[in-house]
Amino acid sequence: MNHVVWSFACVYLLEVTCPDSALASEAKRPSLGVDVISLNGKWQLMNSNSSVSVSAEVPGCVHTTLQRQGFISDPYYRFNDLAYRWISLDNWTYTTSFSVPSHVRGKGKAVLVFEGVDTVSTISLNGLTIGKTDNMFRRYDFDVTGLLKDEENVLQVWIMSAVTYASQRSHAHTEYRVPPDCPPPVQKGECHVNFIRKAQSSFSWDWGPSFPTLGIWKGVRLEVFNTSRVLSYTTSPKYDSEHSSWTVEVELFFDVFVASKGLVHLSIPLLQSEAEFQLSLTPGQSEKSFVLQLNQSVSLWWPFGHGEQFLYYLTIDVSLEGGETFNADQMVAFRTVELVQEPIPSSPGLSFYFRINGKPIFLKGSNWIPVHAFQDQVTTDMITILLRSAQKANMNALRVWGGGVYEQDIFYSLCDMYGIMIWQDFMFACALYPTEKDFIQTVREEVTQQVRRLKSHPSVVIWSGNNENEAAIATDWFNIPVTVRPLYVKDYVHLYVENIRDIVLQEDSTRPFLVSSPTNGVESEKEGWVAKDPYDPHYGDTHFYSYYKDCWDWTAFPRTRFASEYGFQSWPSLSTLSKVSVSSDWDFSSNFSAHRQHHEDGNQQMLKQAELHYILPNSTDPLQKYRDTIYITQVMQAQCVKIQTEFYRRSRSDIVEGKGHTMGTLYWQLNDIWQGPSWSSVEFGGKWKMLHYWATDFYAPILSAGVEDKGDLLIYGVSDSHSETHNVKAKVKLHSWSSFNAVCSLESNVTTIKAGGSTLVFQYSISALLTQCGNCTRRSCIVTFHLSSPEGQMISPHNHIFLSSPRYAEGLQKPNITFTVKDTGIVQNFFVTLHCSFPAVYVWLDVDNIPGHFDVNGFLMLSKKSTVIFGAWRPTTAEEITSNLHITSLRDVY
């Protein structure tokens, strides 16, 4: 990771220096004699009737301001999402004043730049309206030349309630309805969010609260200049396969006040490549493109687990004849990406997989939702912890889901560094949308700006137009009469194909574009962009959820080309929930538990799924029962997602009844927006659920996956390697629940696991296995296994398979686990040594509010002693860990 180098069939402009520079670059950027006056900082905030008037920080939002000023308590606390609904229903005004030095005021052109306003506003300067905003995802520039005063200038931003605005726009759309009108009642949300360009989940979702925010959520500044200013700049690397050479196209976007000439100098010192170009600018908005030829071979950028993430410094120097200069240091990275959709032998339909630098890559990862309901609260540390957690779980991809926000620059820069590929949705989700001229126009500007902002990042490997909107029409989510369906299909094509797709293809020729997810890809295109069945496993990607069917039944899963959404809910830990609740809430049947659950029947679905295989907690101590219930939901979630993910990974080489060749798994979802039940593997605050610990194993580069099929035990070896084959043996043991000694051990013959594929390495009749071992039944024993080299070196994580549900386990006893904690001698790392009297299942260690994670957790303990390591994220002691550590195993909850 220390190499000063990275890529895409192409190169990418990435922020240089430490990640924090990405956040500060806007203020530091030198710019052709442009004077920049930051207007961030203290503003005044007032509601519509002046009953609330407080000092506010910009960037920021109303809710955060009111909390900081002590006007409200934590909006996430208990039922405050309902108690504070009034905030989003009111209109608010931000006001500030500033002075401009005379030498600045005398320059030719002045522009007020708003990087992000949430969302509908009218902006005035010194009492004159200078513009309006209607899109959270856009930057707005307002010409204020001649409007600046000698003394104090008053800037005012009046923000209209997003809820009111959306309702008014919906009611004004009288020709036909644009569903859905409102979210399901269980979400306790607001209506008509599809009529406003803001985070769709801000009006509520099935994993999050309704906080329709208002505010100036990004920076504000005044730019004053005589000649020109640089609005933005991008790179588009190009690979010439005929000559095996690379070029870097650099695009500079200017706002020109006075015609001028000059030079542009581009340089990548490590590649000994530089060039100088003539520049001629005429008044108005101007785009200039320059191509840098590279003089030597480059080191490629690879996804995590497949190679290094090389980055190179690129310098851009612009100098005008009048002496004005613009300089930028960026990082560039080289890689190619293709989305391969082509016929597969012995299978109808088409493949669907990503080829990076000419190599097929299996995408392993999850889906990313907004980190916080209040975006001004999202810190670099929060993003870093989540992305590092993803990488530690062997993930190489995340899908930025289309109901949230386009993430901060630092998010993409970190993904570039960590080798995490990004599937980037545009921000449309689970709805139909209006297509009035003004709506289309603001969307076009949104898409143009976001593509230009993000396309320089090698981590972004695909654009996708929306989340589930093709499926919504195709499978009639909204009960649209057949006679009017063509109208909605026409609107769909107009928005996503004729506008969004058209702009993306103009702005970025270096990445694939999908109109929706799930979709049948090119087959959907053939069917007029809305396929008859967008969930068809023979094409494209699929989303699949099934909560009441037994998740251990792997035959019920779609053998899809690419699984971009699937998952199960669980509750977060008590230490996470306790920050926003009181002790009377800590009951699965409490009002709080019902209020926090935004998915219909979600709490019952979790327990019913768990009850299929586990005895539910029955402690007479209410608090202990609550802890145990949280635990059992996490056990259920981890096991369900593990079984499904392993099914997809071992299906990468299979074609069964024409289905298979699965090349991607993105489970729903990585992170949480608040403290509540959801599909996440990482809790709000960064604590890992059991699922995330298990993901480190089921996403391992070499995986052993076991399954029972027609009475046989099958063990597959799955490898992510592009070229390296592995000679392996499957080492299999049967353990009795009543003893620490393995009942028997088996070893397969040496088998070669094919590179980038799945190979059957062990097959044995289970009945014969039990007979051969003796002293074992399906209920009294468990099978463990792993892959080793012929010399005995372990090359895959340990894995296991139950021969019957643990609820029917015979001989499983309370393990009576005790522990000691000792400093390892490495800063903030501690040995936790466990001792038990009997074998234990799903041993779970929880240190309450001490941030950090264990090297393993939620594991089988089949020996009397086991040692794990806890890595803390802040200073702590063995004594503090000892006093906070809770240990639970499956047998402890009943």
Side-chain angles (χ1 to χ4, degrees):
M1 295 294 184
N2 294 324
H3 300 88
V4 183
V5 291
W6 292 8
S7 155
F8 177 59
C10 324
V11 188
Y12 295 93
L13 277 167
L14 307 173
E15 293 294 342
V16 176
T17 73
C18 65
D20 285 337
S21 69
L23 301 179
S25 62
E26 169 192 304
K28 294 179 180 178
R29 184 179 299 160
S31 190
L32 297 177
V34 178
D35 284 290
V36 179
I37 298 175
S38 173
L39 300 181
N40 296 342
K42 295 292 184 184
W43 289 52
Q44 196 68 19
L45 177 65
M46 185 179 298
N47 70 337
S48 58
N49 65 6
S50 306
S51 60
V52 179
S53 180
V54 293
S55 176
E57 283 289 326
V58 169
C61 79
V62 173
H63 289 81
T64 301
T65 296
L66 297 181
Q67 183 184 0
R68 283 179 177 162
Q69 296 296 334
F71 204 89
I72 62 172
S73 61
D74 183 356
Y76 281 4
Y77 183 71
R78 300 193 78 208
F79 308 96
N80 279 351
D81 54 320
L82 297 184
Y84 297 153
R85 184 170 177 252
W86 63 271
I87 297 171
S88 298
L89 298 179
D90 207 345
N91 303 321
W92 297 82
T93 301
Y94 281 85
T95 305
T96 191
S97 60
F98 62 95
S99 58
V100 181
S102 57
H103 74 279
V104 174
R105 198 171 58 253
K107 289 195 170 184
K109 187 172 182 179
V111 180
L112 269 172
V113 179
F114 286 80
E115 289 289 344
V117 178
D118 184 12
T119 294
V120 179
S121 75
T122 299
I123 301 172
S124 63
L125 176 65
N126 298 325
L128 296 173
T129 297
I130 59 172
K132 297 185 177 185
T133 71
D134 62 2
N135 191 324
M136 174 183 183
F137 307 122
R138 281 181 55 182
R139 161 179 159 166
Y140 287 85
D141 289 28
F142 300 109
D143 190 339
V144 294
T145 306
L147 300 181
L148 297 172
K149 292 184 176 181
D150 294 345
E151 304 296 330
E152 184 178 75
N153 293 273
V154 178
L155 179 61
Q156 195 169 77
V157 181
W158 176 83
I159 302 180
M160 181 181 185
S161 162
V163 178
T164 302
Y165 175 86
S167 177
Q168 290 179 359
R169 289 294 301 231
S170 173
H171 288 112
H173 193 286
T174 56
E175 188 175 348
Y176 54 93
R177 62 184 286 260
V178 183
D181 294 326
C182 301
V186 69
Q187 292 183 18
K188 309 162 192 70
E190 303 293 352
C191 301
H192 310 299
V193 69
N194 49 339
F195 278 85
I196 185 170
R197 292 309 298 145
K198 74 184 266 93
Q200 300 292 275
S201 59
S202 66
F203 277 39
S204 78
W205 216 261
D206 56 4
W207 36 253
S210 174
F211 284 113
T213 47
L214 311 92
I216 304 172
W217 73 297
K218 292 188 176 182
V220 184
R221 64 184 181 274
L222 177 69
E223 295 187 352
V224 186
F225 57 100
N226 279 327
T227 306
S228 60
R229 60 180 178 136
V230 175
L231 297 172
S232 62
Y233 43 93
T234 70
T235 61
S236 295
K238 299 286 196 304
Y239 181 66
D240 182 344
S241 57
E242 183 178 346
H243 299 95
S244 299
S245 62
W246 291 85
T247 59
V248 184
E249 180 185 19
V250 177
E251 294 171 286
L252 293 164
F253 300 89
F254 294 91
D255 176 13
V256 182
F257 183 59
V258 174
S260 57
K261 294 184 178 181
L263 297 174
V264 174
H265 184 266
L266 304 177
S267 173
I268 303 178
L270 272 175
L271 295 177
Q272 299 177 2
S273 300
E274 63 180 327
E276 195 165 78
F277 307 88
Q278 296 292 322
L279 175 66
S280 179
L281 298 174
T282 56
Q285 300 273 315
S286 178
E287 174 187 345
K288 300 294 180 179
S289 177
F290 308 95
V291 178
L292 174 64
Q293 302 282 340
L294 302 189
N295 295 329
Q296 57 181 257
S297 62
V298 303
S299 295
L300 299 177
W301 182 98
W302 287 96
F304 177 69
H306 294 274
E308 297 294 324
Q309 293 76 49
F310 287 99
L311 299 170
Y312 296 86
Y313 279 108
L314 168 69
T315 64
I316 304 171
D317 295 296
V318 180
S319 55
L320 300 183
E321 290 177 346
E324 296 165 323
T325 62
F326 169 84
N327 314 100
D329 291 324
Q330 296 288 329
M331 301 302 285
V332 297
F334 299 83
R335 66 118 178 85
T336 62
V337 58
E338 304 162 82
L339 177 58
V340 182
Q341 300 178 76
E342 61 189 14
I344 301 174
S346 305
S347 175
L350 299 171
S351 66
F352 188 94
Y353 68 91
F354 290 87
R355 199 152 53 199
I356 306 295
N357 301 327
K359 304 293 185 182
I361 303 290
F362 189 104
L363 269 63
K364 304 180 300 184
S366 188
N367 285 264
W368 178 279
I369 67 166
V371 178
H372 204 291
F374 310 118
Q375 282 293 306
D376 59 301
Q377 297 295 287
V378 179
T379 65
T380 298
D381 283 349
M382 293 164 73
I383 292 173
T384 303
I385 287 171
L386 288 169
L387 292 178
R388 286 288 289 142
S389 294
Q391 192 196 56
K392 283 178 177 291
N394 289 308
M395 295 183 186
N396 62 21
L398 291 170
R399 173 173 172 250
V400 177
W401 169 75
V405 298
Y406 306 95
E407 275 300 334
Q408 300 177 16
D409 292 341
I410 188 64
F411 169 87
Y412 300 97
S413 293
L414 289 173
C415 288
D416 295 336
M417 288 191 278
Y418 295 160
I420 297 175
M421 294 175 285
I422 296 301
W423 174 313
Q424 180 65 56
D425 279 2
F426 288 96
M427 295 300 122
F428 302 85
C430 299
L432 306 183
Y433 288 84
T435 55
E436 285 96 340
K437 186 177 180 180
D438 61 340
F439 187 88
I440 292 293
Q441 189 54 48
T442 196
V443 167
R444 288 184 64 87
E445 185 62 30
E446 166 193 330
V447 171
T448 300
Q449 289 184 13
Q450 293 299 339
V451 172
R452 289 178 182 176
R453 182 173 73 93
L454 301 180
K455 76 173 187 176
S456 299
H457 290 280
S459 54
V460 179
V461 297
I462 187 170
W463 307 107
S464 180
N466 65 73
N467 172 75
E468 298 182 346
N469 296 348
E470 178 186 346
I473 295 175
T475 59
D476 196 22
W477 288 10
F478 306 123
N479 300 311
I480 296 171
V482 175
T483 54
V484 297
R485 184 174 179 270
L487 173 63
Y488 292 94
V489 173
K490 180 182 178 182
D491 280 358
Y492 178 90
V493 172
H494 183 58
L495 176 58
Y496 301 113
V497 180
E498 296 170 356
N499 282 283
I500 295 176
R501 178 177 179 269
D502 182 61
I503 291 171
V504 173
L505 295 183
Q506 287 180 39
E507 292 289 335
D508 182 17
S509 63
T510 61
R511 284 177 188 78
F513 174 86
L514 283 176
V515 176
S516 187
S517 175
T519 184
N520 292 347
V522 295
E523 176 61 25
S524 287
E525 181 177 351
K526 289 179 182 178
E527 297 181 38
W529 303 103
V530 177
K532 182 179 179 181
D533 177 17
Y535 297 101
D536 187 340
H538 297 97
Y539 302 94
D541 65 320
T542 60
H543 297 184
F544 179 80
Y545 297 95
S546 178
Y547 304 114
Y548 288 113
K549 291 182 179 178
D550 184 356
C551 77
W552 287 32
D553 180 10
W554 57 271
T555 65
F557 302 135
R559 199 179 290 270
T560 177
R561 306 295 194 214
F562 194 106
S564 50
E565 277 193 31
Y566 60 98
F568 294 83
Q569 278 199 324
S570 69
W571 275 82
S573 61
L574 180 59
S575 61
T576 294
L577 290 167
S578 64
K579 296 178 177 65
V580 292
S581 60
V582 296
S583 58
S584 61
D585 297 327
W586 300 339
D587 186 296
F588 222 57
S589 60
S590 70
N591 289 336
F592 175 81
S593 293
H595 176 75
R596 221 68 176 183
Q597 176 58 266
H598 284 196
H599 172 61
E600 193 70 50
D601 297 326
N603 290 341
Q604 287 307 306
Q605 288 173 356
M606 281 185 268
L607 295 182
K608 287 182 181 297
Q609 184 64 240
E611 197 172 23
L612 293 174
H613 298 288
Y614 314 110
I615 296 174
L616 297 183
N618 58 11
S619 174
T620 56
D621 178 350
L623 179 57
Q624 189 60 50
K625 184 178 180 181
Y626 186 64
R627 279 186 178 274
D628 292 345
T629 302
I630 290 172
Y631 164 84
I632 207 69
T633 68
Q634 292 204 19
V635 167
M636 175 276 297
Q637 179 195 38
Q639 184 71 27
C640 288
V641 176
K642 171 185 184 288
I643 291 171
Q644 193 166 356
T645 305
E646 289 182 350
F647 166 74
Y648 291 137
R649 288 199 68 189
R650 62 184 173 84
S651 295
R652 67 179 295 169
S653 299
D654 294 348
I655 295 293
V656 178
E657 298 177 352
K659 302 172 185 175
H661 201 266
T662 306
M663 285 298 289
T665 55
L666 306 176
Y667 68 74
W668 187 269
Q669 67 205 61
L670 177 72
N671 57 308
D672 267 335
I673 197 170
W674 73 337
Q675 307 92 336
S678 80
W679 294 256
S680 75
S681 62
V682 180
E683 300 176 6
F684 183 81
K687 192 171 187 175
W688 289 14
K689 291 181 178 178
M690 192 178 295
L691 169 57
H692 206 80
Y693 284 100
W694 287 27
T696 64
D697 286 343
F698 64 63
Y699 276 154
I702 299 178
L703 170 71
S704 58
V707 65
E708 180 178 345
D709 189 16
K710 300 175 182 176
D712 284 355
L713 171 62
L714 309 179
I715 297 176
Y716 291 82
V718 184
S719 171
D720 286 337
S721 174
H722 298 139
S723 56
E724 185 181 4
T725 58
H726 293 273
N727 294 325
V728 304
K729 295 188 292 186
K731 293 196 171 184
V732 182
K733 291 183 179 182
L734 268 70
H735 293 266
S736 167
W737 292 126
S738 57
S739 171
F740 288 112
N741 297 317
V743 176
C744 69
S745 301
L746 296 88
E747 202 173 86
S748 74
N749 295 324
V750 175
T751 305
T752 300
I753 302 179
K754 56 190 171 188
S758 173
T759 307
L760 181 64
V761 298
F762 181 90
Q763 182 170 4
Y764 214 97
S765 163
I766 290 176
S767 60
L769 184 63
L770 294 173
T771 300
Q772 177 179 330
C773 285
N775 300 318
C776 251
T777 67
R778 282 181 171 272
R779 295 187 175 190
S780 66
C781 289
I782 184 173
V783 180
T784 65
F785 54 90
H786 68 273
L787 302 179
S788 71
S789 67
E791 297 74 33
Q793 180 182 3
M794 191 172 80
I795 62 172
S796 77
H798 287 287
N799 209 337
H800 65 270
I801 184 171
F802 293 99
L803 301 179
S804 72
S805 296
R807 68 173 293 121
Y808 302 122
E810 294 175 353
L812 186 62
Q813 303 181 54
K814 290 186 183 294
N816 304 315
I817 299 174
T818 59
F819 69 91
T820 57
V821 181
K822 182 181 178 182
D823 198 314
T824 64
I826 301 173
V827 176
Q828 303 311 325
N829 277 256
F830 300 86
F831 290 124
V832 181
T833 301
L834 311 176
H835 295 83
C836 62
S837 304
F838 298 98
V841 184
Y842 302 142
V843 176
W844 181 244
L845 289 72
D846 186 334
V847 289
D848 280 346
N849 289 312
I850 304 174
H853 63 81
F854 295 89
D855 62 335
V856 293
N857 211 347
F859 54 91
L860 294 177
M861 187 170 174
L862 301 176
S863 59
K864 293 182 179 180
K865 177 183 175 182
S866 182
T867 299
V868 300
I869 297 174
F870 178 70
W873 297 340
R874 66 160 171 81
T876 186
T877 62
E879 291 74 22
E880 184 186 17
I881 294 171
T882 299
S883 63
N884 284 274
L885 180 59
H886 301 267
I887 299 178
T888 308
S889 76
L890 189 64
R891 188 60 184 85
D892 294 324
V893 306
Y894 63 91

